[in-house]
Amino acid sequence: MTRLTPLLLLAMLALGACSDSVDPTLGTEQAFSLYGYLDPSADRQALRVAPIVGTIVADTARTLAATVTSEELGTGRTVAWRDSFVTYRDGSTGHVFVADYTPTPGATVEVRVAETTGEERVTAVRISVPTLDRPEIGSFLGTSAEVTYPIRVRAPRVLTTSLVYRVVGLRSAPMDTVAVSFSDFAPFEDAGGGTWGLDLPFVATSRAFLSSPAAEGAMLRLVDVAVRAFVTGPEWDIPAGGLDEDRIVEPGTFSNVTGGFGFVGSGYWTESRWTPSLTTQSRAGFLVDTDPASVLRINEVSAQGWVELYNPTLEFVPIGGYQISSEGQANAFPSGTAVPPLGFQVLQGAPSLAD
C-alpha cells in the first residue's frame, strides 16, 4: 500500500510548481507560491515562499522583497515571520520564512505575504488548526487467533499512520533498543463525528513486521509499541480521484491559497505507546521472558519506605507473593495483588532505598 507522507506531498507540489519545464503565466495577478503547514505541537513554524515571475528560475536573491505576517482570527494574535535563504539537498535555493510561534489549537490563522515593492500584491491563506489529541487505546478484543486493539483519535483528518516497534535483537545492533517504523497495515478511517478509528490486528500485523526487511530476519524482543498518526486540519482534503502525482501538481488542483498558488495546511504527529502482554507478544512471534511480572517497571521509590510499580500493558499482571528487597530486607505483595492495565500498585513498608 503506497501512502504519501505530509512532507512528501508538499515536496511534490513544490517541485511541480518550481520546475523549469512549466510555462509561466505572464502578467498574472498572482504574487507568490506558498508551501508548508502549521504545527500546533511545535514552537517554530516554517513556510516556503516562492515569487511568481515571468521566467521560472531558482531563487538567487538573498532577500525576498516581501513581508510575511500571521494573525489568529478572533484573538488578534499577530506574528511577524523572518526570511531565511536556504540551499536544498538537490542544490537549488529558496526562501523559507520562519516564526518562533506555536499556533493555538482550534484557532483559524490567516497568513499574508505582501510585496514590499512594485504593485505591492498580497498572497494569503487561511488555515484551521486542529486541536491536540492523542490516540486512545480501548480494551483489547481477543480470540483464539488474534488480539485486536481498538484505537480512536479525535481529529478533522488523519493523513498517515505508522507503528513504531521498540525492539532488542536487531542484527545491526543486537544489544540496543531500536525504534523501527512499520506502515504496512490498514490506516485510520473516518468513524464520523470528528473521530478516526483503527482496529489494529496486533498478532497479524506484528508477524508481518517480523517477516519484513525492517526486522532483519532476527528473533526480536519487544520493549513496547506506539501508534503514530499525523493529524491535520480540514484543509488537507484529498482531491477527488486520489493523490495522482501528475495531476495534483497542476496549479489550482490542490491549493487553498488566494492571490497565488500552493498549499498551506496544519497538522502534527501524535502517538500513544503501550506494551502488549507477554502471552500476546509470544503469539505474535516475539521472544519473551517466562516471568509475566518482568514487564513491570519501578515508577517511584520513596525514602519513607514504599515502592510504586507501573504496568505498561493492557492486561492485569498478578504479583501476589512477589518481593521487593534491598540490602537484605524484603517485603512481599499480599496474595491476590495485581497491577491494573496502564496502572500502578504501591507496596507499603518496602525496604527504604534512600542513600
Side-chain angles (χ1 to χ4, degrees):
M1 181 181 298
T2 301
R3 300 188 206 128
L4 297 178
T5 66
L7 292 179
L8 176 58
L9 175 57
L10 289 176
M12 288 166 46
L13 291 167
L15 289 173
C18 298
S19 171
D20 57 12
S21 65
V22 178
D23 293 331
T25 302
L26 298 178
T28 179
E29 296 181 356
Q30 318 298 328
F32 300 98
S33 290
L34 313 179
Y35 301 96
Y37 66 91
L38 303 182
D39 185 344
S41 68
D43 56 11
R44 174 169 290 184
Q45 311 300 313
L47 179 67
R48 180 172 181 177
V49 179
I52 299 173
V53 294
T55 303
I56 296 180
V57 296
D59 289 334
T60 55
R62 290 287 171 174
T63 301
L64 190 63
T67 60
V68 177
T69 58
S70 61
E71 179 183 357
E72 291 187 356
L73 305 184
T75 67
R77 182 184 179 193
T78 303
V79 177
W81 298 50
R82 61 185 182 274
D83 190 7
S84 61
F85 185 79
V86 301
T87 300
Y88 302 105
R89 282 183 294 181
D90 64 358
S92 64
T93 58
H95 294 269
V96 175
F97 280 75
V98 296
D100 295 323
Y101 157 64
T102 301
T104 301
T108 297
V109 180
E110 182 177 74
V111 178
R112 294 172 59 86
V113 182
E115 287 182 318
T116 56
T117 60
E119 301 177 38
E120 298 184 350
R121 296 170 296 175
V122 174
T123 299
V125 60
R126 288 191 177 186
I127 310 107
S128 299
V129 181
T131 57
L132 297 175
D133 197 17
R134 295 178 59 195
E136 180 179 341
I137 304 169
S139 301
F140 74 95
L141 307 173
T143 67
S144 58
E146 184 58 271
V147 173
T148 300
Y149 295 111
I151 306 170
R152 302 291 182 266
V153 63
R154 299 283 299 179
R157 178 174 296 277
V158 175
L159 192 64
T160 189
T161 314
S162 69
L163 293 180
V164 178
Y165 290 92
R166 288 204 304 163
V167 296
V168 177
L170 286 177
R171 299 186 190 281
S172 57
M175 302 302 293
D176 297 334
T177 298
V178 180
V180 184
S181 183
F182 186 68
S183 58
D184 191 13
F185 60 95
F188 279 92
E189 295 183 350
D190 189 354
T195 298
W196 287 65
L198 163 63
D199 293 331
L200 178 68
F202 181 79
V203 172
T205 302
S206 296
R207 288 175 178 173
F209 164 72
L210 289 170
S211 63
S212 71
E216 300 181 355
M219 296 294 292
L220 303 179
R221 295 183 182 274
L222 180 65
V223 177
D224 54 30
V225 61
V227 59
R228 303 190 72 225
F230 188 75
V231 171
T232 75
E235 291 86 5
W236 216 311
D237 194 13
I238 306 302
L243 292 171
D244 180 84
E245 297 182 16
D246 295 327
R247 195 171 63 83
I248 65 173
V249 296
E250 297 176 3
T253 300
F254 191 80
S255 177
N256 61 343
V257 176
T258 59
F261 298 117
F263 176 81
V264 181
S266 60
Y268 64 95
W269 282 103
T270 182
E271 73 171 40
S272 285
R273 187 179 301 275
W274 78 99
T275 304
S277 70
L278 292 179
T279 300
T280 298
Q281 292 183 39
S282 178
R283 291 167 64 186
F286 292 100
L287 290 176
V288 299
D289 296 318
T290 57
D291 188 347
S294 64
V295 298
L296 299 177
R297 304 170 186 171
I298 295 178
N299 185 65
E300 188 174 355
V301 177
S302 167
Q304 286 70 45
W306 54 265
V307 174
E308 182 180 65
L309 300 181
Y310 173 66
N311 174 13
T313 78
L314 299 181
E315 302 174 37
F316 280 90
V317 175
I319 55 172
Y322 280 81
Q323 293 185 342
I324 299 290
S325 62
S326 175
E327 297 181 351
Q329 303 180 59
N331 196 13
F333 287 94
S335 176
T337 303
V339 187
L342 302 178
F344 303 87
Q345 184 63 257
V346 173
L347 177 60
Q348 298 286 353
S352 173
L353 302 182
D355 294 335

